[in-house]
Amino acid sequence: MVPQRNASATQDRPTPAWTPGGPVVIAGGGIAGLTAALALARRGISSVLHERAEAFTEVGAGLQISPNAFRALDALGLGAAITAKGTAPEAVDLHGLDGRVLASIPLGEAAVTRWGAPYFVLHRADLIAILAEAAEAEPAITLVRGVAVEDFAEAPGGVTVSTTAGTVEGEALIAADGVWSRLRPRMPGPRSTARPTGKLAYRTLIPADAVAPPMRGDRVHAHLAPGAHVVRYPVLGGRFMNVVAVAASAWFVEDWASPAGVSEIEALSKDFDKPLRDLLLSAPKWTRWPLSTVDASGSWTAGRVALIGDAAHASLPFAAQGAALAIEDATVLAARLAGGPTVAKALAAYEEERRHRAVAVQKVSVRNGEIYHLSGIAAKTRNLTLSMLPRGALMEQLDWIYEWRLPA
Ligand SMILES: Cc1cc2nc3c(=O)[nH]c(=O)nc-3n(C[C@H](O)[C@H](O)[C@H](O)COP(=O)(O)OP(=O)(O)OC[C@H]3O[C@@H](n4cnc5c(N)ncnc54)[C@H](O)[C@@H]3O)c2cc1C
């Protein structure tokens, strides 16, 4: 595969506090890897990014970009593109089993006022396309498609990275190769491993004109049921509704998009109210995605190698923060690498700065899942508590997540 370099010039870029002897090698061109390449380039550090797939694509699904993630992407110059492609939902509505709204988290203008940046929902493929296009326009980034990173060895003054197309020398290696990272177990020292959670995410896109009018609109809806929940919101300019349903299942393969059978959707729909059940059963096809996590309290760096994004700390998606954390990681890592004084010290500083937050977000995700999936009297108590919360109470709980800014 021939590396592609861009012709356009980069002007007025800050230079790092030290002189890199070579590019940073990045394994993985998902949200973490592409954002890292851009964040490094914006700080005057070049990179070579290897993505094992032939194209920078994403399996069809939606993504919520909370204000912390939007702010970090905006600082990389991507705010306008996200605004153009995304939908800014008016609120997140939490529904009980009978469809009744138990509580709402105001978004829209309220998000900008409270957290200083907007909240968007968009298709993952749109975000990947925005990132890949910006990376392609960057002379400091070399994108290599269709090549997997297989291993690495640290050498004095650099790292030698083995790929399916040969070896590459770099100043550092960023492993952004996702929850089932191949590079994580190759790093020296004890590492967290990817652990199946016994939960599956079923995903589909339903054309908006096939959605019954009461179920349409520009809001995020989360429907809670015993042992399951459904999240739905508009994507692709409102032309489709993204629907994710989560339920317990022992089924597991390392894949994000295996087809799901109708009987599985029937089984998970049975407890929900009729309009939602009809919506779920109307979807043309579903895929399933086994949810695995990586304990964030493990170690993420070793010398010149660092894990970022899901490779470091894949969490349950019940706080909608996995991609947001990956984006934050990328911007912190780039800032610390630019500051030096050595690669190893910069990577250690990145890990030190990020671990506490990733652990805290993982805990919130687990807790949200427990609350969403309550049954019996516990679910009734939850519903009552949610419906009696004072306005703003749920927003307050999100402040520490959504107010995040890149520390100086
Ligand atoms: C159902 C669900 C809903 C979610 N919703 C949200 C949400 O609303 N908001 C949010 O912030 N997060 C959400 N998340 C989490 C989010 O999807 C992930 O945290 C995010 O995609 C992680 O990005 P990543 O780049 O770290 O990993 P990945 O997206 O897994 O990217 C890894 C990339 O590396 C490539 N790769 C793998 N191995 C190699 C190799 N050896 N060499 C080269 N390339 C390699 C892969 O092909 C892939 O492109 C959700 C997750 C799920 C499961």
mmCIF file with all atom_site columns, all heavy atoms in Angstrom, residues 28 31-32 50-52 64 124 148-149 176-177 256 289 291 310 320 322-324, ligand 1:
data_model
loop_
_atom_site.group_PDB
_atom_site.id
_atom_site.type_symbol
_atom_site.label_atom_id
_atom_site.label_alt_id
_atom_site.label_comp_id
_atom_site.label_asym_id
_atom_site.label_entity_id
_atom_site.label_seq_id
_atom_site.pdbx_PDB_ins_code
_atom_site.Cartn_x
_atom_site.Cartn_y
_atom_site.Cartn_z
_atom_site.occupancy
_atom_site.B_iso_or_equiv
_atom_site.pdbx_formal_charge
_atom_site.auth_seq_id
_atom_site.auth_comp_id
_atom_site.auth_asym_id
_atom_site.auth_atom_id
_atom_site.pdbx_PDB_model_num
ATOM   1   N N   . GLY A 1 28  ? -4.408  2.219  13.828 1.00 0.00 ? 28  GLY A N   1
ATOM   2   C CA  . GLY A 1 28  ? -5.862  2.320  13.921 1.00 0.00 ? 28  GLY A CA  1
ATOM   3   C C   . GLY A 1 28  ? -6.373  3.675  13.464 1.00 0.00 ? 28  GLY A C   1
ATOM   4   O O   . GLY A 1 28  ? -5.924  4.710  13.961 1.00 0.00 ? 28  GLY A O   1
ATOM   5   N N   . ILE A 1 31  ? -11.972 6.714  15.517 1.00 0.00 ? 31  ILE A N   1
ATOM   6   C CA  . ILE A 1 31  ? -12.105 8.077  16.045 1.00 0.00 ? 31  ILE A CA  1
ATOM   7   C C   . ILE A 1 31  ? -10.851 8.471  16.829 1.00 0.00 ? 31  ILE A C   1
ATOM   8   O O   . ILE A 1 31  ? -10.330 9.582  16.685 1.00 0.00 ? 31  ILE A O   1
ATOM   9   C CB  . ILE A 1 31  ? -13.376 8.167  16.919 1.00 0.00 ? 31  ILE A CB  1
ATOM   10  C CG1 . ILE A 1 31  ? -14.613 7.985  16.030 1.00 0.00 ? 31  ILE A CG1 1
ATOM   11  C CG2 . ILE A 1 31  ? -13.446 9.503  17.669 1.00 0.00 ? 31  ILE A CG2 1
ATOM   12  C CD1 . ILE A 1 31  ? -15.907 7.709  16.770 1.00 0.00 ? 31  ILE A CD1 1
ATOM   13  N N   . ALA A 1 32  ? -10.309 7.544  17.635 1.00 0.00 ? 32  ALA A N   1
ATOM   14  C CA  . ALA A 1 32  ? -9.123  7.865  18.443 1.00 0.00 ? 32  ALA A CA  1
ATOM   15  C C   . ALA A 1 32  ? -7.912  8.131  17.565 1.00 0.00 ? 32  ALA A C   1
ATOM   16  O O   . ALA A 1 32  ? -7.224  9.151  17.727 1.00 0.00 ? 32  ALA A O   1
ATOM   17  C CB  . ALA A 1 32  ? -8.832  6.717  19.413 1.00 0.00 ? 32  ALA A CB  1
ATOM   18  N N   . HIS A 1 50  ? -1.700  3.888  10.286 1.00 0.00 ? 50  HIS A N   1
ATOM   19  C CA  . HIS A 1 50  ? -2.045  2.661  9.561  1.00 0.00 ? 50  HIS A CA  1
ATOM   20  C C   . HIS A 1 50  ? -3.427  2.194  9.986  1.00 0.00 ? 50  HIS A C   1
ATOM   21  O O   . HIS A 1 50  ? -3.677  2.005  11.170 1.00 0.00 ? 50  HIS A O   1
ATOM   22  C CB  . HIS A 1 50  ? -1.049  1.547  9.878  1.00 0.00 ? 50  HIS A CB  1
ATOM   23  C CG  . HIS A 1 50  ? 0.322   1.821  9.363  1.00 0.00 ? 50  HIS A CG  1
ATOM   24  N ND1 . HIS A 1 50  ? 1.229   2.602  10.033 1.00 0.00 ? 50  HIS A ND1 1
ATOM   25  C CD2 . HIS A 1 50  ? 0.940   1.418  8.235  1.00 0.00 ? 50  HIS A CD2 1
ATOM   26  C CE1 . HIS A 1 50  ? 2.339   2.681  9.341  1.00 0.00 ? 50  HIS A CE1 1
ATOM   27  N NE2 . HIS A 1 50  ? 2.201   1.968  8.241  1.00 0.00 ? 50  HIS A NE2 1
ATOM   28  N N   . GLU A 1 51  ? -4.283  2.002  9.017  1.00 0.00 ? 51  GLU A N   1
ATOM   29  C CA  . GLU A 1 51  ? -5.615  1.443  9.276  1.00 0.00 ? 51  GLU A CA  1
ATOM   30  C C   . GLU A 1 51  ? -5.697  0.118  8.526  1.00 0.00 ? 51  GLU A C   1
ATOM   31  O O   . GLU A 1 51  ? -5.417  0.062  7.324  1.00 0.00 ? 51  GLU A O   1
ATOM   32  C CB  . GLU A 1 51  ? -6.692  2.420  8.811  1.00 0.00 ? 51  GLU A CB  1
ATOM   33  C CG  . GLU A 1 51  ? -8.097  1.836  8.696  1.00 0.00 ? 51  GLU A CG  1
ATOM   34  C CD  . GLU A 1 51  ? -8.636  1.181  9.983  1.00 0.00 ? 51  GLU A CD  1
ATOM   35  O OE1 . GLU A 1 51  ? -8.538  1.789  11.058 1.00 0.00 ? 51  GLU A OE1 1
ATOM   36  O OE2 . GLU A 1 51  ? -9.153  0.032  9.876  1.00 0.00 ? 51  GLU A OE2 1
ATOM   37  N N   . ARG A 1 52  ? -6.108  -0.913 9.236  1.00 0.00 ? 52  ARG A N   1
ATOM   38  C CA  . ARG A 1 52  ? -6.103  -2.239 8.590  1.00 0.00 ? 52  ARG A CA  1
ATOM   39  C C   . ARG A 1 52  ? -7.169  -2.360 7.500  1.00 0.00 ? 52  ARG A C   1
ATOM   40  O O   . ARG A 1 52  ? -6.990  -3.125 6.557  1.00 0.00 ? 52  ARG A O   1
ATOM   41  C CB  . ARG A 1 52  ? -6.259  -3.344 9.633  1.00 0.00 ? 52  ARG A CB  1
ATOM   42  C CG  . ARG A 1 52  ? -7.624  -3.379 10.254 1.00 0.00 ? 52  ARG A CG  1
ATOM   43  C CD  . ARG A 1 52  ? -7.781  -4.494 11.263 1.00 0.00 ? 52  ARG A CD  1
ATOM   44  N NE  . ARG A 1 52  ? -9.049  -4.307 11.940 1.00 0.00 ? 52  ARG A NE  1
ATOM   45  C CZ  . ARG A 1 52  ? -9.430  -4.959 13.019 1.00 0.00 ? 52  ARG A CZ  1
ATOM   46  N NH1 . ARG A 1 52  ? -8.622  -5.837 13.563 1.00 0.00 ? 52  ARG A NH1 1
ATOM   47  N NH2 . ARG A 1 52  ? -10.595 -4.722 13.561 1.00 0.00 ? 52  ARG A NH2 1
ATOM   48  N N   . GLN A 1 64  ? -23.434 10.100 19.773 1.00 0.00 ? 64  GLN A N   1
ATOM   49  C CA  . GLN A 1 64  ? -23.766 11.352 20.448 1.00 0.00 ? 64  GLN A CA  1
ATOM   50  C C   . GLN A 1 64  ? -22.454 12.062 20.751 1.00 0.00 ? 64  GLN A C   1
ATOM   51  O O   . GLN A 1 64  ? -21.552 11.468 21.333 1.00 0.00 ? 64  GLN A O   1
ATOM   52  C CB  . GLN A 1 64  ? -24.527 11.062 21.734 1.00 0.00 ? 64  GLN A CB  1
ATOM   53  C CG  . GLN A 1 64  ? -25.790 10.242 21.493 1.00 0.00 ? 64  GLN A CG  1
ATOM   54  C CD  . GLN A 1 64  ? -26.580 9.999  22.760 1.00 0.00 ? 64  GLN A CD  1
ATOM   55  O OE1 . GLN A 1 64  ? -26.937 10.922 23.466 1.00 0.00 ? 64  GLN A OE1 1
ATOM   56  N NE2 . GLN A 1 64  ? -26.856 8.744  23.057 1.00 0.00 ? 64  GLN A NE2 1
ATOM   57  N N   . ARG A 1 124 ? -21.966 7.860  12.627 1.00 0.00 ? 124 ARG A N   1
ATOM   58  C CA  . ARG A 1 124 ? -20.533 7.645  12.822 1.00 0.00 ? 124 ARG A CA  1
ATOM   59  C C   . ARG A 1 124 ? -19.745 7.836  11.532 1.00 0.00 ? 124 ARG A C   1
ATOM   60  O O   . ARG A 1 124 ? -18.637 8.365  11.551 1.00 0.00 ? 124 ARG A O   1
ATOM   61  C CB  . ARG A 1 124 ? -20.276 6.206  13.273 1.00 0.00 ? 124 ARG A CB  1
ATOM   62  C CG  . ARG A 1 124 ? -20.578 5.964  14.683 1.00 0.00 ? 124 ARG A CG  1
ATOM   63  C CD  . ARG A 1 124 ? -20.656 4.478  14.934 1.00 0.00 ? 124 ARG A CD  1
ATOM   64  N NE  . ARG A 1 124 ? -20.974 4.284  16.313 1.00 0.00 ? 124 ARG A NE  1
ATOM   65  C CZ  . ARG A 1 124 ? -20.071 4.148  17.271 1.00 0.00 ? 124 ARG A CZ  1
ATOM   66  N NH1 . ARG A 1 124 ? -18.792 4.112  16.983 1.00 0.00 ? 124 ARG A NH1 1
ATOM   67  N NH2 . ARG A 1 124 ? -20.433 4.030  18.510 1.00 0.00 ? 124 ARG A NH2 1
ATOM   68  N N   . ALA A 1 148 ? -2.229  -3.524 8.458  1.00 0.00 ? 148 ALA A N   1
ATOM   69  C CA  . ALA A 1 148 ? -2.401  -3.687 9.908  1.00 0.00 ? 148 ALA A CA  1
ATOM   70  C C   . ALA A 1 148 ? -1.056  -3.602 10.604 1.00 0.00 ? 148 ALA A C   1
ATOM   71  O O   . ALA A 1 148 ? -0.036  -4.042 10.068 1.00 0.00 ? 148 ALA A O   1
ATOM   72  C CB  . ALA A 1 148 ? -3.045  -5.036 10.204 1.00 0.00 ? 148 ALA A CB  1
ATOM   73  N N   . VAL A 1 149 ? -1.078  -3.015 11.793 1.00 0.00 ? 149 VAL A N   1
ATOM   74  C CA  . VAL A 1 149 ? 0.126   -3.009 12.634 1.00 0.00 ? 149 VAL A CA  1
ATOM   75  C C   . VAL A 1 149 ? 0.115   -4.315 13.423 1.00 0.00 ? 149 VAL A C   1
ATOM   76  O O   . VAL A 1 149 ? -0.907  -4.697 13.994 1.00 0.00 ? 149 VAL A O   1
ATOM   77  C CB  . VAL A 1 149 ? 0.127   -1.791 13.578 1.00 0.00 ? 149 VAL A CB  1
ATOM   78  C CG1 . VAL A 1 149 ? 1.291   -1.873 14.553 1.00 0.00 ? 149 VAL A CG1 1
ATOM   79  C CG2 . VAL A 1 149 ? 0.195   -0.510 12.761 1.00 0.00 ? 149 VAL A CG2 1
ATOM   80  N N   . ALA A 1 176 ? -4.171  2.815  18.779 1.00 0.00 ? 176 ALA A N   1
ATOM   81  C CA  . ALA A 1 176 ? -5.578  3.251  18.769 1.00 0.00 ? 176 ALA A CA  1
ATOM   82  C C   . ALA A 1 176 ? -6.381  2.177  18.064 1.00 0.00 ? 176 ALA A C   1
ATOM   83  O O   . ALA A 1 176 ? -7.230  2.459  17.216 1.00 0.00 ? 176 ALA A O   1
ATOM   84  C CB  . ALA A 1 176 ? -5.701  4.592  18.038 1.00 0.00 ? 176 ALA A CB  1
ATOM   85  N N   . ASP A 1 177 ? -6.088  0.914  18.419 1.00 0.00 ? 177 ASP A N   1
ATOM   86  C CA  . ASP A 1 177 ? -6.635  -0.209 17.653 1.00 0.00 ? 177 ASP A CA  1
ATOM   87  C C   . ASP A 1 177 ? -7.840  -0.860 18.326 1.00 0.00 ? 177 ASP A C   1
ATOM   88  O O   . ASP A 1 177 ? -8.141  -2.025 18.078 1.00 0.00 ? 177 ASP A O   1
ATOM   89  C CB  . ASP A 1 177 ? -5.537  -1.240 17.321 1.00 0.00 ? 177 ASP A CB  1
ATOM   90  C CG  . ASP A 1 177 ? -4.736  -1.697 18.526 1.00 0.00 ? 177 ASP A CG  1
ATOM   91  O OD1 . ASP A 1 177 ? -4.827  -1.040 19.585 1.00 0.00 ? 177 ASP A OD1 1
ATOM   92  O OD2 . ASP A 1 177 ? -4.017  -2.706 18.429 1.00 0.00 ? 177 ASP A OD2 1
ATOM   93  N N   . TRP A 1 256 ? -18.286 -6.118 15.219 1.00 0.00 ? 256 TRP A N   1
ATOM   94  C CA  . TRP A 1 256 ? -19.207 -5.030 15.530 1.00 0.00 ? 256 TRP A CA  1
ATOM   95  C C   . TRP A 1 256 ? -20.505 -5.113 14.747 1.00 0.00 ? 256 TRP A C   1
ATOM   96  O O   . TRP A 1 256 ? -21.395 -4.322 14.962 1.00 0.00 ? 256 TRP A O   1
ATOM   97  C CB  . TRP A 1 256 ? -18.540 -3.691 15.205 1.00 0.00 ? 256 TRP A CB  1
ATOM   98  C CG  . TRP A 1 256 ? -17.684 -3.189 16.291 1.00 0.00 ? 256 TRP A CG  1
ATOM   99  C CD1 . TRP A 1 256 ? -17.128 -3.927 17.294 1.00 0.00 ? 256 TRP A CD1 1
ATOM   100 C CD2 . TRP A 1 256 ? -17.279 -1.835 16.492 1.00 0.00 ? 256 TRP A CD2 1
ATOM   101 N NE1 . TRP A 1 256 ? -16.388 -3.106 18.097 1.00 0.00 ? 256 TRP A NE1 1
ATOM   102 C CE2 . TRP A 1 256 ? -16.463 -1.817 17.631 1.00 0.00 ? 256 TRP A CE2 1
ATOM   103 C CE3 . TRP A 1 256 ? -17.533 -0.644 15.822 1.00 0.00 ? 256 TRP A CE3 1
ATOM   104 C CZ2 . TRP A 1 256 ? -15.895 -0.648 18.121 1.00 0.00 ? 256 TRP A CZ2 1
ATOM   105 C CZ3 . TRP A 1 256 ? -16.966 0.516  16.306 1.00 0.00 ? 256 TRP A CZ3 1
ATOM   106 C CH2 . TRP A 1 256 ? -16.155 0.511  17.439 1.00 0.00 ? 256 TRP A CH2 1
ATOM   107 N N   . TRP A 1 289 ? -23.738 -6.305 18.361 1.00 0.00 ? 289 TRP A N   1
ATOM   108 C CA  . TRP A 1 289 ? -22.388 -5.870 18.716 1.00 0.00 ? 289 TRP A CA  1
ATOM   109 C C   . TRP A 1 289 ? -22.183 -6.269 20.179 1.00 0.00 ? 289 TRP A C   1
ATOM   110 O O   . TRP A 1 289 ? -22.792 -5.678 21.075 1.00 0.00 ? 289 TRP A O   1
ATOM   111 C CB  . TRP A 1 289 ? -22.365 -4.361 18.544 1.00 0.00 ? 289 TRP A CB  1
ATOM   112 C CG  . TRP A 1 289 ? -21.174 -3.595 18.932 1.00 0.00 ? 289 TRP A CG  1
ATOM   113 C CD1 . TRP A 1 289 ? -20.118 -3.983 19.681 1.00 0.00 ? 289 TRP A CD1 1
ATOM   114 C CD2 . TRP A 1 289 ? -20.918 -2.223 18.572 1.00 0.00 ? 289 TRP A CD2 1
ATOM   115 N NE1 . TRP A 1 289 ? -19.228 -2.963 19.815 1.00 0.00 ? 289 TRP A NE1 1
ATOM   116 C CE2 . TRP A 1 289 ? -19.694 -1.874 19.148 1.00 0.00 ? 289 TRP A CE2 1
ATOM   117 C CE3 . TRP A 1 289 ? -21.608 -1.268 17.838 1.00 0.00 ? 289 TRP A CE3 1
ATOM   118 C CZ2 . TRP A 1 289 ? -19.137 -0.600 19.005 1.00 0.00 ? 289 TRP A CZ2 1
ATOM   119 C CZ3 . TRP A 1 289 ? -21.059 -0.015 17.709 1.00 0.00 ? 289 TRP A CZ3 1
ATOM   120 C CH2 . TRP A 1 289 ? -19.836 0.311  18.281 1.00 0.00 ? 289 TRP A CH2 1
ATOM   121 N N   . LEU A 1 291 ? -20.824 -6.264 23.765 1.00 0.00 ? 291 LEU A N   1
ATOM   122 C CA  . LEU A 1 291 ? -20.167 -5.184 24.507 1.00 0.00 ? 291 LEU A CA  1
ATOM   123 C C   . LEU A 1 291 ? -19.062 -5.741 25.402 1.00 0.00 ? 291 LEU A C   1
ATOM   124 O O   . LEU A 1 291 ? -19.327 -6.558 26.287 1.00 0.00 ? 291 LEU A O   1
ATOM   125 C CB  . LEU A 1 291 ? -21.198 -4.428 25.350 1.00 0.00 ? 291 LEU A CB  1
ATOM   126 C CG  . LEU A 1 291 ? -22.317 -3.760 24.538 1.00 0.00 ? 291 LEU A CG  1
ATOM   127 C CD1 . LEU A 1 291 ? -23.351 -3.117 25.453 1.00 0.00 ? 291 LEU A CD1 1
ATOM   128 C CD2 . LEU A 1 291 ? -21.741 -2.716 23.577 1.00 0.00 ? 291 LEU A CD2 1
ATOM   129 N N   . ASP A 1 310 ? -10.618 3.229  22.998 1.00 0.00 ? 310 ASP A N   1
ATOM   130 C CA  . ASP A 1 310 ? -11.114 1.941  23.486 1.00 0.00 ? 310 ASP A CA  1
ATOM   131 C C   . ASP A 1 310 ? -9.984  0.967  23.796 1.00 0.00 ? 310 ASP A C   1
ATOM   132 O O   . ASP A 1 310 ? -10.140 0.087  24.647 1.00 0.00 ? 310 ASP A O   1
ATOM   133 C CB  . ASP A 1 310 ? -12.057 1.312  22.451 1.00 0.00 ? 310 ASP A CB  1
ATOM   134 C CG  . ASP A 1 310 ? -13.489 1.818  22.595 1.00 0.00 ? 310 ASP A CG  1
ATOM   135 O OD1 . ASP A 1 310 ? -13.702 2.795  23.333 1.00 0.00 ? 310 ASP A OD1 1
ATOM   136 O OD2 . ASP A 1 310 ? -14.390 1.229  21.966 1.00 0.00 ? 310 ASP A OD2 1
ATOM   137 N N   . ALA A 1 320 ? -22.623 7.259  26.940 1.00 0.00 ? 320 ALA A N   1
ATOM   138 C CA  . ALA A 1 320 ? -22.329 7.800  25.599 1.00 0.00 ? 320 ALA A CA  1
ATOM   139 C C   . ALA A 1 320 ? -21.041 8.619  25.609 1.00 0.00 ? 320 ALA A C   1
ATOM   140 O O   . ALA A 1 320 ? -20.989 9.735  25.097 1.00 0.00 ? 320 ALA A O   1
ATOM   141 C CB  . ALA A 1 320 ? -23.513 8.621  25.078 1.00 0.00 ? 320 ALA A CB  1
ATOM   142 N N   . GLY A 1 322 ? -17.639 6.920  25.174 1.00 0.00 ? 322 GLY A N   1
ATOM   143 C CA  . GLY A 1 322 ? -16.436 6.211  24.699 1.00 0.00 ? 322 GLY A CA  1
ATOM   144 C C   . GLY A 1 322 ? -15.678 7.014  23.655 1.00 0.00 ? 322 GLY A C   1
ATOM   145 O O   . GLY A 1 322 ? -14.456 7.194  23.745 1.00 0.00 ? 322 GLY A O   1
ATOM   146 N N   . ALA A 1 323 ? -16.385 7.501  22.656 1.00 0.00 ? 323 ALA A N   1
ATOM   147 C CA  . ALA A 1 323 ? -15.739 8.281  21.604 1.00 0.00 ? 323 ALA A CA  1
ATOM   148 C C   . ALA A 1 323 ? -15.264 9.616  22.160 1.00 0.00 ? 323 ALA A C   1
ATOM   149 O O   . ALA A 1 323 ? -14.190 10.120 21.803 1.00 0.00 ? 323 ALA A O   1
ATOM   150 C CB  . ALA A 1 323 ? -16.699 8.496  20.445 1.00 0.00 ? 323 ALA A CB  1
ATOM   151 N N   . ALA A 1 324 ? -16.062 10.186 23.063 1.00 0.00 ? 324 ALA A N   1
ATOM   152 C CA  . ALA A 1 324 ? -15.676 11.478 23.669 1.00 0.00 ? 324 ALA A CA  1
ATOM   153 C C   . ALA A 1 324 ? -14.355 11.327 24.425 1.00 0.00 ? 324 ALA A C   1
ATOM   154 O O   . ALA A 1 324 ? -13.449 12.165 24.298 1.00 0.00 ? 324 ALA A O   1
ATOM   155 C CB  . ALA A 1 324 ? -16.789 11.959 24.602 1.00 0.00 ? 324 ALA A CB  1
HETATM 156 C C1  . LIG B 2 .   ? -23.784 0.702  21.030 1.00 0.00 ? 1   LIG B C1  1
HETATM 157 C C2  . LIG B 2 .   ? -22.722 1.736  21.247 1.00 0.00 ? 1   LIG B C2  1
HETATM 158 C C3  . LIG B 2 .   ? -23.076 3.078  21.249 1.00 0.00 ? 1   LIG B C3  1
HETATM 159 C C4  . LIG B 2 .   ? -22.100 4.053  21.506 1.00 0.00 ? 1   LIG B C4  1
HETATM 160 N N1  . LIG B 2 .   ? -22.477 5.355  21.510 1.00 0.00 ? 1   LIG B N1  1
HETATM 161 C C5  . LIG B 2 .   ? -21.556 6.298  21.793 1.00 0.00 ? 1   LIG B C5  1
HETATM 162 C C6  . LIG B 2 .   ? -21.933 7.675  21.824 1.00 0.00 ? 1   LIG B C6  1
HETATM 163 O O1  . LIG B 2 .   ? -23.086 8.023  21.582 1.00 0.00 ? 1   LIG B O1  1
HETATM 164 N N2  . LIG B 2 .   ? -20.977 8.596  22.129 1.00 0.00 ? 1   LIG B N2  1
HETATM 165 C C7  . LIG B 2 .   ? -19.680 8.238  22.410 1.00 0.00 ? 1   LIG B C7  1
HETATM 166 O O2  . LIG B 2 .   ? -18.854 9.118  22.714 1.00 0.00 ? 1   LIG B O2  1
HETATM 167 N N3  . LIG B 2 .   ? -19.295 6.934  22.356 1.00 0.00 ? 1   LIG B N3  1
HETATM 168 C C8  . LIG B 2 .   ? -20.189 5.966  22.055 1.00 0.00 ? 1   LIG B C8  1
HETATM 169 N N4  . LIG B 2 .   ? -19.806 4.663  21.988 1.00 0.00 ? 1   LIG B N4  1
HETATM 170 C C9  . LIG B 2 .   ? -18.393 4.309  22.183 1.00 0.00 ? 1   LIG B C9  1
HETATM 171 C C10 . LIG B 2 .   ? -17.572 4.529  20.899 1.00 0.00 ? 1   LIG B C10 1
HETATM 172 O O3  . LIG B 2 .   ? -18.186 3.878  19.817 1.00 0.00 ? 1   LIG B O3  1
HETATM 173 C C11 . LIG B 2 .   ? -16.166 3.997  21.061 1.00 0.00 ? 1   LIG B C11 1
HETATM 174 O O4  . LIG B 2 .   ? -15.644 4.370  22.315 1.00 0.00 ? 1   LIG B O4  1
HETATM 175 C C12 . LIG B 2 .   ? -15.253 4.555  19.952 1.00 0.00 ? 1   LIG B C12 1
HETATM 176 O O5  . LIG B 2 .   ? -15.706 4.141  18.692 1.00 0.00 ? 1   LIG B O5  1
HETATM 177 C C13 . LIG B 2 .   ? -13.813 4.082  20.172 1.00 0.00 ? 1   LIG B C13 1
HETATM 178 O O6  . LIG B 2 .   ? -13.007 4.567  19.128 1.00 0.00 ? 1   LIG B O6  1
HETATM 179 P P1  . LIG B 2 .   ? -11.540 3.984  18.912 1.00 0.00 ? 1   LIG B P1  1
HETATM 180 O O7  . LIG B 2 .   ? -10.977 4.743  17.767 1.00 0.00 ? 1   LIG B O7  1
HETATM 181 O O8  . LIG B 2 .   ? -10.814 3.949  20.208 1.00 0.00 ? 1   LIG B O8  1
HETATM 182 O O9  . LIG B 2 .   ? -11.756 2.475  18.529 1.00 0.00 ? 1   LIG B O9  1
HETATM 183 P P2  . LIG B 2 .   ? -12.435 1.854  17.196 1.00 0.00 ? 1   LIG B P2  1
HETATM 184 O O10 . LIG B 2 .   ? -13.588 2.674  16.768 1.00 0.00 ? 1   LIG B O10 1
HETATM 185 O O11 . LIG B 2 .   ? -12.633 0.414  17.500 1.00 0.00 ? 1   LIG B O11 1
HETATM 186 O O12 . LIG B 2 .   ? -11.313 2.001  16.103 1.00 0.00 ? 1   LIG B O12 1
HETATM 187 C C14 . LIG B 2 .   ? -10.197 1.149  16.014 1.00 0.00 ? 1   LIG B C14 1
HETATM 188 C C15 . LIG B 2 .   ? -9.683  1.190  14.588 1.00 0.00 ? 1   LIG B C15 1
HETATM 189 O O13 . LIG B 2 .   ? -8.452  0.478  14.536 1.00 0.00 ? 1   LIG B O13 1
HETATM 190 C C16 . LIG B 2 .   ? -8.440  -0.388 13.414 1.00 0.00 ? 1   LIG B C16 1
HETATM 191 N N5  . LIG B 2 .   ? -7.530  -1.467 13.765 1.00 0.00 ? 1   LIG B N5  1
HETATM 192 C C17 . LIG B 2 .   ? -7.737  -2.464 14.664 1.00 0.00 ? 1   LIG B C17 1
HETATM 193 N N6  . LIG B 2 .   ? -6.626  -3.215 14.766 1.00 0.00 ? 1   LIG B N6  1
HETATM 194 C C18 . LIG B 2 .   ? -5.703  -2.685 13.939 1.00 0.00 ? 1   LIG B C18 1
HETATM 195 C C19 . LIG B 2 .   ? -4.351  -3.003 13.626 1.00 0.00 ? 1   LIG B C19 1
HETATM 196 N N7  . LIG B 2 .   ? -3.728  -4.048 14.204 1.00 0.00 ? 1   LIG B N7  1
HETATM 197 N N8  . LIG B 2 .   ? -3.676  -2.246 12.728 1.00 0.00 ? 1   LIG B N8  1
HETATM 198 C C20 . LIG B 2 .   ? -4.311  -1.178 12.138 1.00 0.00 ? 1   LIG B C20 1
HETATM 199 N N9  . LIG B 2 .   ? -5.591  -0.839 12.381 1.00 0.00 ? 1   LIG B N9  1
HETATM 200 C C21 . LIG B 2 .   ? -6.268  -1.568 13.285 1.00 0.00 ? 1   LIG B C21 1
HETATM 201 C C22 . LIG B 2 .   ? -9.900  -0.793 13.249 1.00 0.00 ? 1   LIG B C22 1
HETATM 202 O O14 . LIG B 2 .   ? -10.161 -1.236 11.936 1.00 0.00 ? 1   LIG B O14 1
HETATM 203 C C23 . LIG B 2 .   ? -10.618 0.504  13.585 1.00 0.00 ? 1   LIG B C23 1
HETATM 204 O O15 . LIG B 2 .   ? -10.752 1.344  12.466 1.00 0.00 ? 1   LIG B O15 1
HETATM 205 C C24 . LIG B 2 .   ? -20.750 3.672  21.739 1.00 0.00 ? 1   LIG B C24 1
HETATM 206 C C25 . LIG B 2 .   ? -20.396 2.334  21.707 1.00 0.00 ? 1   LIG B C25 1
HETATM 207 C C26 . LIG B 2 .   ? -21.371 1.373  21.476 1.00 0.00 ? 1   LIG B C26 1
HETATM 208 C C27 . LIG B 2 .   ? -20.967 -0.073 21.467 1.00 0.00 ? 1   LIG B C27 1
#
